[in-house]
């Protein structure tokens, strides 16, 4: 068999795909929740960046993984709250406010990296903790399956569980019902006494929470340091992943998985003599293509009516 | 009372200026908190850009690509198209423009113009893709243009790295451009080049286009209210695409101007960020081409000040990015200072009522 195909049909590939999917799945869940409430959140890029940075710095200075987790999440949720405050209370355009917050995140993290680590590129001089990998008791013993699904970072499992939490939240809780109601028709929701502003704020805070976990995974699981702009567009890819999946739990999961697979493929292809620039291009080209195909299908289905 | 009328008339502009001042005040505060000798750092930041002829030159050189970026952003933004693909159009326009200039030769007098037009067309093509996807199938142009920025980056890098790389240089740069396509640097002691004149000419052209042509009017109407424009007989399909194509064209030209005026070879290993700077100045300048000139100069002033401070003191230049984001947040927050406006409006109305009554 062709060596490339061989490596694709291996346990390693599945393992790597789950690793790569994690930092897309978290923010994608965040995007999906805000989209369901009728807002677009393109600030996940900045939210992840701030959380990734906060986690590394807090873990390096306190030596506590728990504190890193808590402060990382607080930082992400704080960014989301800022977005919510500017959009909902100060009536800022949510897209421009999010662009500003992404800039803010990029600037402040490099600024503080320099203050804390005296380097503008990375915090590698700070000793960051990482979230542990987990061996799943029974699955670990099964020959091939074990190598695929056991021994991953704990946050990867959290991401998978988050899909279920997302489902439960949206379909089985009063808040989920309100979020969907507000997203479908805010005026109708308002007329039956739903506080639209509050619901939108909650959904933004939730997206900040999931985005924060994605950021923490990047700097304290995927690698063990923070580097400038390390999110590398994942917060934007997450928007594509969620919209491919129709902002639904399982759809968002498969959307993210698709980008995970393409990204992993790019990593595996790098061993061949193909220019790395072209391989790195694949996930972004795929996003545009998938979005286009998805939108074309949708417009065909609706029969081209307005 | 006269002052209040003035405030109401120029409210948006005054609001912007206040936002900018708050941004500058925050930076002063930050400098005082983190610098060991805040007085010096502050001086470098605020007066640094004017201290030598070279630095004034830096300021104008820095403003040039930002102005191109801002103009490129303003046209789709005026049509309410959130295309942020100018970053990619600038990068790819410069990369493929360089490739083009190195591959084909033309008589000297038209060489530079042809290369610029080619780079512009590349940028236009880059604007066309999100444009047609949006107009035809309602693909969100924000996401698609964001993705295409990355595609442009890797594609441009590939073309330069594999086909036009000057291997005698120690790092990734293209071969030097032939001399006829260099834009003349005309002020000794600086690198100020013909590109800045071109950028200002473009700003006036864009102003004329948006405010004195039919298509410009249609673009603004579509941005103002898509449905209204449609029922008013405007071909919004065409407007959505063209606004992004024209924006892309300007971005492509802007990228190539930077290569032809400053570097004389393609040397961007990272995407230079002029597209995002463009978003910043377009917002500060309220998408008005002539105000964008001022906004570009202001942003360049902050940038150069930040660099001088970074070089000569202990405050990193990224502070400027943080300040920019604060300014944008304040400008885009409609409620910022709206109470103030409301109070003035009410008082004015009350006064008017009184004077009307006394007249009768």
């Amino acid at each position: 068999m062709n060596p490339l195909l061989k490596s694709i049909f291996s346990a390693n590939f599945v393992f790597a795909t789950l690793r790569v999917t994690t930092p897309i799945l978290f923010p994608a869940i965040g995007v999906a929740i805000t989209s369901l409430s009728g807002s677009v959140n393109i600030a996940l890029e900045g939210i992840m960046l701030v959380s990734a940075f906060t986690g590394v710095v807090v873990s390096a200075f306190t030596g506590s993984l728990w504190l890193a987790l808590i402060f990382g999440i607080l930082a992400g949720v704080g960014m989301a709250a800022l977005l919510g405050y500017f959009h909902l209370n100060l009536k800022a355009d949510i897209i421009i406010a999010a662009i500003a917050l992404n800039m803010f995140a990029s600037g402040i993290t490099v600024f503080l990296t320099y203050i804390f680590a005296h380097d503008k590129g990375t915090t590698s001089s700070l000793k960051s903790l990482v979230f542990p990998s987990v061996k799943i008791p029974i699955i670990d013993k099964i020959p091939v399956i074990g190598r695929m699904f056991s021994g991953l970072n704990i946050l990867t499992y959290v991401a998978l569980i988050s899909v279920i939490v997302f489902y439960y939240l949206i379909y089985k809780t009063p808040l989920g019902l309100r979020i969907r109601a507000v997203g479908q028709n805010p005026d109708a929701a308002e007329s039956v006494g739903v506080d639209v502003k509050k619901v939108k704020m909650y959904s933004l805070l939730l997206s900040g929470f999931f985005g924060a976990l994605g950021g923490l995974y990047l700097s304290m699981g995927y690698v063990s340091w923070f580097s400038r702009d390390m999110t590398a567009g994942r917060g934007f890819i997450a928007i594509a992943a969620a919209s491919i999946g129709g902002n639904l739990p399982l759809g968002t999961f498969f959307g993210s998985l698709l980008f995970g697979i393409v990204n992993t493929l790019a990593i595996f292809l790098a061993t061949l003599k193909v220019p790395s620039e072209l391989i790195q291009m694949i996930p972004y080209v795929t996003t545009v293509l998938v979005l286009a195909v998805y939108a074309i299908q949708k417009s065909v289905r609706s029969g081209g009516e307005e | 009372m006269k002052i209040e009328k003035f405030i109401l008339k120029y409210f948006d502009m005054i609001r912007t200026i206040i936002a900018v001042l708050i941004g500058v005040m925050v930076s002063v505060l930050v400098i005082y908190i983190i610098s060991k000798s805040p007085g010096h750092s502050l001086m470098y930041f605020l007066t640094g850009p004017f201290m030598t002829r070279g630095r004034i030159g830096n300021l104008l050189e820095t403003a040039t690509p930002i102005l191109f970026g801002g103009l490129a952003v303003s046209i789709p933004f005026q049509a309410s198209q959130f295309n942020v693909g100018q970053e990619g159009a600038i990068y790819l326009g410069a990369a493929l423009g360089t490739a083009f200039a190195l591959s084909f030769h033309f008589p000297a007098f038209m060489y530079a113009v042809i290369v610029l037009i080619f780079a512009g067309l590349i940028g236009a093509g880059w604007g066309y893709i999100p444009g047609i996807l949006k107009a035809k199938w309602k693909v969100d142009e924000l996401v698609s243009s964001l993705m295409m920025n990355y595609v442009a980056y890797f594609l441009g890098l590939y073309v330069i790295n594999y086909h036009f790389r000057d291997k005698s240089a120690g790092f990734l740069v293209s071969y030097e451009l032939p001399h006829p396509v260099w834009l003349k640097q005309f002020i000794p002691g600086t690198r100020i080049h013909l590109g800045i004149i071109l950028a200002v000419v473009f700003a006036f052209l864009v102003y004329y286009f948006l405010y004195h042509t039919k298509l410009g009017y249609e673009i603004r109407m579509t941005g103002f209210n898509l449905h209204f424009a449609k029922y008013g007989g405007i071909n919004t399909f065409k407007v959505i695409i063209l606004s992004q194509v024209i924006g892309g064209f300007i971005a492509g030209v802007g990228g190539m101007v930077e290569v032809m005026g400053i570097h004389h070879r393609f040397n961007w290993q990272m995407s230079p960020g002029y597209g995002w700077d463009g978003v910043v100045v377009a917002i500060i300048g309220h998408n008005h081409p002539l105000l964008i000139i001022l906004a570009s100069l202001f942003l360049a002033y902050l940038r150069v000040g930040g660099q001088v401070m970074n070089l000569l003191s202990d405050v990193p230049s990224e502070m400027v990015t943080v300040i920019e984001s604060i300014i944008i947040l304040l400008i885009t927050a409609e409620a910022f200072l709206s109470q103030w406006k409301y109070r003035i409006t009410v008082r004015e109305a009350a006064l008017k009522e009184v004077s009307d009554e006394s007249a009768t």
Side-chain angles (χ1 to χ4, degrees), chain B residues 19-315:
Chain B
V20 164
L21 287 179
I22 290 176
V24 173
M25 261 149 46
V26 172
S27 51
V28 171
L29 199 70
V30 170
I31 289 172
Y32 268 90
I33 291 170
I34 70 156
S35 178
K36 286 201 182 71
S37 56
H40 282 105
S41 305
L42 194 60
M43 191 188 70
Y44 291 133
F45 179 53
L46 293 178
T47 63
F50 302 117
M51 282 198 303
T52 65
R53 179 200 287 225
R55 294 227 188 97
I56 296 174
N58 278 340
L59 198 158
L60 295 176
E61 295 151 31
T62 309
T64 307
I66 297 178
L67 176 52
F68 273 113
L71 297 172
V73 171
S74 70
I75 296 175
F77 271 30
Q78 285 251 15
S80 268
Q81 299 302 308
F82 279 106
N83 181 322
V84 289
Q86 292 78 14
E87 183 70 29
I90 288 171
Y91 193 87
L92 199 65
L96 297 190
T98 303
F100 180 79
L102 290 169
S103 310
F104 301 95
H105 292 271
F106 300 96
F109 73 95
M110 55 192 278
Y111 204 162
V113 176
I114 291 179
V115 170
L116 280 178
I117 290 176
F118 178 82
L121 290 177
I122 295 292
W126 218 244
Y128 177 75
I129 298 172
I132 185 88
L133 288 177
K134 169 73 179 287
K136 228 173 169 158
W137 296 293
K138 297 193 186 130
V139 177
D140 186 20
E141 76 281 9
L142 183 76
V143 180
S144 62
S145 63
L146 274 170
M147 292 299 119
M148 289 189 57
N149 282 342
Y150 292 96
V151 179
Y153 171 67
F154 289 117
L155 188 61
L157 207 58
Y158 162 75
V159 169
I160 298 296
N161 197 5
Y162 278 82
H163 301 286
F164 296 93
R165 179 173 182 164
D166 184 352
K167 295 191 178 69
S168 63
F171 34 92
L172 201 165
V173 293
S174 74
Y175 296 108
E176 195 165 70
L177 292 175
H179 283 260
V181 297
W182 291 20
L183 295 176
K184 193 173 160 49
Q185 299 183 345
F186 58 90
I187 297 180
T190 72
R191 295 187 300 172
I192 295 173
H193 54 88
L194 284 176
I196 188 159
I197 295 173
L198 198 63
V200 174
V201 169
F202 261 83
F204 279 92
L205 285 177
V206 172
Y207 167 72
Y208 183 82
F209 168 69
L210 281 174
Y211 292 91
H212 296 280
T213 67
K214 183 160 166 271
L215 183 57
Y217 172 78
E218 291 177 343
I219 284 178
R220 287 185 296 123
M221 273 305 121
T222 303
F224 182 63
N225 188 330
L226 180 74
H227 299 290
F228 178 74
K230 206 181 253 172
Y231 290 115
I234 290 173
N235 182 350
T236 52
F237 184 86
K238 182 186 81 177
V239 168
I240 288 173
I241 297 177
L242 276 183
S243 64
Q244 301 185 54
V245 167
I246 297 168
F249 182 88
I250 297 173
V253 170
M256 195 61 212
V257 161
E258 190 63 7
V259 175
M260 287 159 64
I262 300 278
H263 312 294
H264 303 141
R265 51 170 90 209
F266 186 88
N267 68 346
W268 289 334
Q269 288 153 45
M270 298 293 292
S271 202
Y274 299 133
W276 291 109
D277 295 344
V279 174
V280 173
V281 293
I283 292 166
I284 297 180
H286 291 271
N287 295 325
H288 189 294
L290 303 182
L291 293 178
I292 290 174
I293 299 179
L294 293 180
S296 306
L297 286 171
F298 169 69
L299 189 57
Y301 163 73
L302 285 186
R303 285 284 160 78
V304 175
Q307 282 158 14
V308 174
M309 181 177 67
N310 193 59
L311 209 63
L312 301 176
S313 83
D314 52 356
V315 184

Side-chain angles (χ1 to χ4, degrees), chain A residues 26-109:
Chain A
F26 272 128
I29 292 174
V31 170
I33 293 176
T34 35
S35 298
L36 284 176
S37 81
S39 320
V40 204
N41 184 0
I42 65 161
L44 262 308
E45 187 78 0
I47 289 170
M48 286 170 81
L49 211 50
V50 167
S51 294
F53 173 79
T54 310
V56 166
V57 171
V58 171
S59 85
F61 283 104
T62 65
S64 160
L65 206 54
W66 283 109
L67 284 178
L69 179 70
I70 291 167
F71 279 93
I73 290 173
L74 282 180
V77 173
M79 286 282 287
L82 213 55
L83 180 64
Y85 179 72
F86 268 90
H87 173 52
L88 300 169
N89 293 58
L90 297 181
K91 301 197 172 58
D93 183 291
I94 194 167
I95 291 173
I96 293 174
I99 290 177
L101 279 179
N102 287 338
M103 276 173 54
F104 174 79
S106 170
I108 196 88
T109 51

